[in-house]
Amino acid sequence: MGTVVDDAASVEFHAFFERHYAELSRLAHLLTGEADAADDLAADALLALWHRWDRVRAADHPVAYARGVVANLARTRIRGAVRERRRIALFWPHREERTENPDVAGVVDVQEALRRLPFRKRACVVLRHAFDLSEKDTALALGVSVGTVKSQTSKGMAELQRLLGTQRPERKVHAAMARGGAESGGRNR
């Protein structure tokens, strides 16, 4: 897996990149449905192509080869998302929770604040404080280390404290998820 370093190959690859990056990004977006991930997938595909540029440029249809790489990366991303959803589903309570007189404004505030957190911080906070999972179970569900869970949860809670203006945001998260779950059939975004 050697990288081609001669000037002609570099110029040729740069021209290929300029011509096809937007198309590959659109393809990734349509395959995954994730606008944010599309550029990353296209860039990852082009990086893989660069590492094999001697073979790609010799192919009959280099663009078709590039599209195949994007499709494979998108498939891998989708499979990963499905596996993650399955892991989270293992910890999702199967019973329906109901709360009398929910604090709807509080639920909305917490859900909005959670949406503003990056995914990993949000996932760690929700699994730790709304689902009462241990650090180890949270790490297992997310496929990360216990140390990552600790740091992301701590940073996420600090951000929620700033956003919600409270000293104990974990109580609000737990209460909002329990109350919010009752209003939406037990599932939140």
Side-chain angles (χ1 to χ4, degrees), residues 134-152:
S134 68
E135 290 167 342
K136 182 179 176 183
D137 287 341
T138 301
L140 176 66
L142 297 176
V144 298
S145 70
V146 171
T148 298
V149 170
K150 288 179 181 181
S151 69
Q152 293 296 295

Side-chain angles (χ1 to χ4, degrees), residues 35-132:
D36 296 340
D39 287 335
D40 290 342
L41 287 172
D44 289 347
L46 285 161
L47 178 62
L49 293 175
W50 171 244
H51 287 296
R52 296 175 192 85
W53 188 241
D54 55 333
R55 275 186 266 153
V56 174
R57 71 195 250 201
D60 290 336
H61 302 285
V63 176
Y65 187 89
R67 289 180 188 135
V69 172
V70 169
N72 286 334
L73 289 172
R75 183 181 306 114
T76 299
R77 182 174 184 85
I78 291 166
R79 285 179 178 163
V82 168
R83 279 192 304 273
E84 182 175 328
R85 281 189 211 119
R86 286 180 185 153
R87 277 185 256 157
I88 290 172
L90 290 173
F91 299 106
W92 197 274
H94 295 290
R95 66 189 188 285
E96 191 172 313
E97 297 179 15
R98 296 242 179 243
T99 303
E100 291 184 31
N101 302 321
D103 177 8
V104 176
V107 170
V108 171
D109 288 346
V110 169
Q111 287 178 341
E112 182 58 34
L114 283 169
R115 277 189 211 102
R116 293 177 67 186
L117 294 179
F119 176 78
R120 186 175 286 172
K121 287 180 188 173
R122 179 177 46 216
C124 287
V125 167
V126 168
L127 290 172
R128 289 283 293 127
H129 296 289
F131 290 91
D132 295 321

Side-chain angles (χ1 to χ4, degrees), residues 24-39 41 70:
L24 296 173
S25 181
R26 276 194 317 276
L27 174 62
H29 180 208
L30 292 170
L31 291 174
T32 64
E34 299 177 25
D36 296 340
D39 287 335
L41 287 172
V70 169

